[in-house]
Amino acid sequence: MKRILFKSGTLVDPSSGRVWQADLLVEEGRIKAIDSGLVPPRGTEVVNAGGCLIFPGCVDVHVHLREPGFEHKETIATGVRAAVRGGFVAVAAMPNTRPVADSAAVVGYVRARGEEEGLAQVFPVGALSRGSEGKEMAPLGEMRQAGAVAFSDDGRWLADAQLMRRVMEYARMLKAPVISHCEEPALTKGGVMNEGITATVLGLRGMPAAAEEIAVARDIILAEFTGCHLHVAHISTAGAVRLVREARSRGLKVTAEVTPHHFTLTEEAVQGYNTNAKVNPPLRTRADVEALREALADGTIDIIATDHAPHAREEKEVEFDQAPFGISGLETAIALVFTELVHKGVLDLPQAAAKLSLNPRRLLGLPGGVLAEGEPAELTLIDPEREEEVDPATFASKGRNTPFAGWRLKGWPVGVVVRGKWIPVRPLPGEGLREI
């Protein structure tokens, strides 16, 4: 592995809350030294990081890489390129592929394909139930041995409470979190957006906030009963936030994530029947957005994740009712965090780094997330002053389905260190164009 020296960067360590300027030397895949005025040994690659923030490598705990089975939407190859371009050094791949990742064979395949690509690391999430059909528990132990870092039926809520109890008991023994897509299907059947005045005006069937909140409440009760670590995926309502906050206040092992589109957009984005704003859970009200931002600031929400859900262009260019749910989010997430949260004072730099790096790693049981000598040298470099317009045509992902096309965002990743390699993705301050 090449030795790399980052000169004059602003280091952000979420574990200590410290922000300071220093040089950082990477050697043999680890942080060798952090100090001012480091002299590079012969043969060292020197990167001028002046004007850049250096975060521990960002990790996205919720992506859909679509392989195997839906390669027309995304492949592991295009997905990990999108991750690196978006500033992520690792991703957790959800199991709703074809076949579903409900066996050691599929989990092992996803892990191996990620290793073959050699860019962002891919950590598979195994299904809770066979085929994610909610009827029979999947072989959790075998999938854990094959590399699964968590278990989820993402895209569906496991409605059978007895089965969810057994799954949580096994997951606790395996020391793996259960990631729950909280949605009571009886309340959302046929729904395509948030239930409310906007849905009424547009003539679209709504999905009430209560559907999410009922599911969150039940899963918290089961998590308390079993001692399992429950992670609430893509939380979207003020009521769900209150439930998670209360659970955490009682010391329960409950964590939650929010997506950039849920802390940025409201249901108004659907106006004009914009299918690129059709997501599940749906975009909610301004009051919900404010509750999500407050929960990020006070620590109720631990993690920012993309729920990257790429689709082929022709799948989204249909009537709103027929279009699939999902946003291609890997390549805009960090810029939205900076534009909407950091620059607006919702989060400070250590808080942002914690929600993008340290806390995702803790959820999945991964090392790192700390800037200190001897720690793994997985890094994300961000230019907080860089302004750029979102252009889906430049995405590395196959999915161009984003409601942020044309938005001008401030604060973009410029490169990552992963697997001991420095991979620049945008110009450092004062440099020319970089491509991967």
Side-chain angles (χ1 to χ4, degrees):
M1 294 182 180
K2 183 178 280 190
R3 190 185 293 117
I4 313 163
L5 178 63
F6 294 92
K7 294 288 291 182
S8 305
T10 298
L11 279 61
V12 181
D13 178 35
S15 67
S16 65
R18 189 181 176 200
V19 179
W20 76 109
Q21 189 173 75
D23 301 341
L24 186 150
L25 180 64
V26 173
E27 188 174 306
E28 296 297 325
R30 294 201 168 266
I31 299 173
K32 178 70 173 178
I34 298 175
D35 207 344
S36 298
L38 290 177
V39 178
R42 186 184 299 273
T44 301
E45 180 181 5
V46 179
V47 177
N48 180 4
C52 291
L53 303 170
I54 300 180
F55 277 23
C58 297
V59 176
D60 189 348
V61 303
H62 194 143
V63 304
H64 299 273
L65 296 181
R66 305 301 194 195
E67 184 181 344
F70 301 100
E71 287 84 355
H72 65 288
K73 299 174 185 279
E74 189 81 288
T75 65
I76 289 172
T78 58
V80 295
R81 289 188 73 241
V84 166
R85 191 170 184 273
F88 293 97
V89 303
V91 298
M94 288 294 157
N96 55 340
T97 49
R98 188 171 57 202
V100 170
D102 62 356
S103 68
V106 181
V107 166
Y109 169 83
V110 172
R111 185 68 185 270
R113 283 288 296 114
E115 290 301 305
E116 287 172 12
E117 293 303 324
L119 291 170
Q121 297 183 77
V122 177
F123 295 100
V125 175
L128 298 174
S129 62
R130 289 191 183 274
S132 288
E133 293 178 350
K135 297 177 181 178
E136 179 185 357
M137 184 165 58
L140 307 189
E142 293 175 14
M143 291 189 289
R144 185 71 162 145
Q145 287 184 329
V149 292
F151 301 105
S152 179
D153 273 353
D154 189 56
R156 301 178 181 179
W157 185 53
L158 209 173
D160 184 325
Q162 177 70 350
L163 180 55
M164 185 61 142
R165 171 192 176 177
R166 297 305 181 201
V167 164
M168 284 186 163
E169 289 171 340
Y170 273 90
R172 183 199 66 216
M173 289 188 291
L174 294 169
K175 298 180 179 179
V178 166
I179 301 175
S180 185
H181 173 115
C182 290
E183 175 193 353
E184 169 49 70
L187 290 175
T188 61
K189 186 177 181 180
V192 293
M193 67 169 294
N194 184 54
E195 183 176 294
I197 187 64
T198 302
T200 301
V201 169
L202 293 174
L204 297 173
R205 183 171 295 182
M207 305 166 72
E212 179 172 322
E213 293 154 10
I214 288 168
V216 170
R218 189 213 66 176
D219 286 353
I220 287 173
I221 292 168
L222 286 177
E224 182 174 19
F225 181 51
T226 62
C228 177
H229 181 171
L230 169 68
H231 181 71
V232 179
H234 41 51
I235 195 168
S236 73
T237 78
V241 165
R242 286 194 298 271
L243 290 164
V244 170
R245 184 178 286 120
E246 191 273 339
R248 291 170 66 93
S249 74
R250 294 191 292 111
L252 301 187
K253 203 167 186 180
V254 176
T255 53
E257 71 188 43
V258 67
T259 71
H261 48 273
H262 283 114
F263 68 62
T264 300
L265 300 172
T266 70
E267 59 189 355
E268 299 295 325
V270 175
Q271 293 279 9
Y273 302 96
N274 179 8
T275 59
N276 284 329
K278 182 180 178 181
V279 285
N280 188 16
L283 301 174
R284 304 289 188 179
T285 67
R286 175 53 57 188
D288 292 308
V289 171
E290 293 306 318
L292 295 172
R293 292 187 178 213
E294 180 184 348
L296 280 164
D298 70 19
T300 299
I301 297 176
D302 317 76
I303 291 171
I304 295 169
T306 67
D307 192 10
H308 175 72
H311 292 288
R313 180 176 175 178
E314 62 272 15
E315 291 174 321
K316 279 287 194 177
E317 292 183 346
V318 295
E319 293 83 357
F320 194 89
D321 280 342
Q322 303 303 315
F325 294 104
I327 287 173
S328 182
L330 275 169
E331 293 172 72
T332 55
I334 288 177
L336 284 164
V337 168
F338 271 79
T339 302
E340 294 295 323
L341 303 179
V342 175
H343 291 312
K344 293 183 178 180
V346 178
L347 298 180
D348 61 25
L349 290 173
Q351 286 176 312
K355 293 176 196 302
L356 288 165
S357 178
L358 180 61
N359 295 343
R361 291 171 185 276
R362 286 176 173 172
L363 173 70
L364 302 179
L366 306 178
V370 177
L371 292 185
E373 294 178 5
E375 290 289 330
E378 294 186 332
L379 309 171
T380 298
L381 271 69
I382 300 164
D383 180 351
E385 300 302 317
R386 179 177 178 82
E387 294 190 44
E388 190 174 303
E389 186 175 295
V390 176
D391 180 4
T394 67
F395 283 5
S397 171
K398 283 188 175 185
R400 309 296 168 87
N401 47 303
T402 174
F404 300 109
W407 283 45
R408 191 158 188 84
L409 305 179
K410 182 180 180 181
W412 289 85
V414 295
V416 299
V417 176
V418 62
R419 303 176 191 267
K421 298 183 294 184
W422 162 239
I423 306 175
V425 298
R426 285 181 180 82
L428 293 163
E431 282 192 343
L433 181 65
R434 294 275 194 170
E435 293 185 357
I436 61 167

